[in-house]
Amino acid sequence: MADKLLMRALAGETLDVPPAWMMRQAGRYLPEYKATRAQAGDFLSLCYTPDLAAEVTLQPIRRFGFDAAILFADILLVPQALGADLWFVTGEGPRLSPLTDRAGIDGLRSADAVHDTLNPIYETVRILARELPSDVALIGFAGAPWTVATYMIAGRGTPDQAPAHALKDSDRDAFDALMARITEATIEYLSAQIDAGAEVVKVFDSWAGSLKGNDFARYAVDPAKRIIAALKARHPGVPVIAFPREAGQGYVGFARETGADCVAIDNSVTPEWAAEHVQRDGCVQGNLAPGHMVTGGQALVDEVRHIREAFRRGPHVFNLGHGITPDADPDNVSLMLETLRETRGAQE
Ligand code: CP3
């Protein structure tokens, strides 16, 4: 395990060629994913059928040879395990029963009850820990409390997270109670993934960028810090990747303040800026714009080289700045990896 490239980069080693994986690497841009999803019937059945969830997790590893596999599941399984109804509307996205008041929040299940629903996910992790090639690291994940709360409060994805901001600003006690419940559930969920064989965990705060001023410290930094401290106490040595997406200046110091071993960055910041201001504290993951997986060509090659060059003086995990999209061309993923892994001599 010690020589897996991902583990070495997360431990702070500067490598000649960084390890690489992609957010949403198992997904609808792959025909084999669509076939397995059809076999499962729908997305949630795929998540809760361990053999099939493990199969789609392995598909991009077989096809492309990534250095890491990310468990196939979804951040919205935690709200479901806390008692929310969850369903996916094709072409539109997730729907949940919305949480509008304190009574709804107080009626959620307790954090240690989440395993009742999430046990199949741990079984997927156990299958993957057995079946992954020995040089590929296994990443577990969960949503960060703020991002999960935005979906739970609105009952769906929102462009500006307005319903969550409104509850936060109108009934802070209720909002804080919800954040605390999600934080505890997330600790239990990630801890169980690690017990089942996840070697790394990642916390996705996709909507961190909408938290401004003190709210960023209180609802992005503090929950991450609590989750990471609890995990480090229970599982010393298991690295954590934090992704406070679109945090901008908030990326600076995020690893130091939360204890994260690696900060994943989106592509709204340049790799030079991130190398100077974020990589000084440790490993950085990112940050190719996902659009290159659609458009490909010389622009893709140039940008992969640019990112690799910008981060080469410190620990780096190569990834996209956000998830790959369904219209991406798998050949562009291959081109990305070939370009990243070409020898430095050929590159210069
Ligand atoms: O990265 C991976 O390959 C692991 C699996 C994974 C999924 N979702 C599978 C998925 C991970 C890590 C996630 C995280 C996730 N889910 C986030 C945080 C990361 C981000 O993208 O910002 C969020 C916000 C969600 C919630 C969610 N799940 C939405 C908004 C949607 C609908 C959007 C869409 O692409 O259709 C999903 C569905 C979903 N989760 C799909 C996949 C592969 C597509 C479902 C399908 O097959 O139809």
Side-chain angles (χ1 to χ4, degrees), residues 59-341:
Q59 285 168 351
I61 306 304
R62 289 189 204 115
R63 186 193 265 257
F64 302 114
F66 286 114
D67 298 295
I70 182 159
L71 163 70
F72 189 85
D74 198 84
I75 66 165
L76 300 178
L77 304 186
V78 165
Q80 190 179 35
L82 285 171
D85 291 327
L86 172 68
W87 67 103
F88 282 80
V89 180
T90 310
E92 288 187 38
R95 294 288 183 277
L96 302 94
S97 41
L99 279 179
T100 49
D101 56 18
R102 180 79 203 220
I105 292 164
D106 290 342
L108 292 170
R109 290 192 199 122
S110 68
D112 50 14
V114 296
H115 304 306
D116 296 346
T117 303
L118 298 171
N119 267 318
I121 310 305
Y122 313 143
E123 180 56 22
T124 306
V125 175
R126 283 190 286 271
I127 295 171
L128 289 167
R130 283 199 302 272
E131 295 197 357
L132 274 170
S134 59
D135 56 345
V136 178
L138 178 57
I139 306 172
F141 75 92
W146 162 249
T147 288
V148 171
T150 67
Y151 287 94
M152 291 181 81
I153 293 164
R156 59 189 299 160
T158 46
D160 51 6
Q161 296 73 60
H165 284 289
L167 183 67
K168 162 172 66 64
D169 296 335
S170 66
D171 189 347
R172 198 164 292 257
D173 285 352
F175 181 79
D176 285 352
L178 176 61
M179 289 290 288
R181 186 72 58 97
I182 301 169
T183 301
E184 293 311 316
T186 304
I187 292 166
E188 295 308 318
Y189 182 42
L190 290 175
S191 184
Q193 291 182 31
I194 295 168
D195 285 335
E199 300 167 279
V200 176
V201 293
K202 177 169 174 185
V203 181
F204 285 84
D205 210 349
S206 305
W207 299 117
S210 82
L211 291 167
K212 304 297 178 195
N214 289 337
D215 280 347
F216 185 82
R218 188 157 172 184
Y219 298 120
V221 175
D222 284 359
K225 190 174 169 178
R226 279 192 60 195
I227 291 166
I228 292 168
L231 292 176
K232 296 280 179 190
R234 294 191 203 178
H235 312 276
V238 174
V240 181
I241 304 171
F243 182 34
R245 191 171 73 91
E246 295 198 350
Q249 284 296 327
Y251 285 130
V252 181
F254 198 85
R256 245 182 299 126
E257 287 164 23
T258 62
D261 300 271
C262 177
V263 177
I265 56 170
D266 70 276
N267 47 271
S268 69
V269 296
T270 67
E272 286 80 8
W273 179 86
E276 184 179 344
H277 298 285
V278 189
Q279 201 182 28
R280 63 194 297 173
D281 290 333
C283 192
V284 170
Q285 175 179 288
N287 73 336
L288 182 69
H292 285 292
M293 296 296 99
V294 181
T295 52
Q298 190 61 38
L300 162 60
V301 170
D302 291 347
E303 191 56 14
V304 170
R305 289 178 179 161
H306 167 208
I307 291 167
R308 177 177 145 173
E309 185 58 28
F311 288 121
R312 61 181 277 218
R313 284 169 207 83
H316 176 215
V317 176
F318 192 90
N319 205 305
L320 305 182
H322 200 195
I324 189 169
T325 52
D327 55 344
D329 181 347
D331 288 345
N332 290 331
V333 177
S334 303
L335 178 60
M336 173 186 81
L337 287 177
E338 281 161 28
T339 305
L340 183 72
R341 291 169 177 171

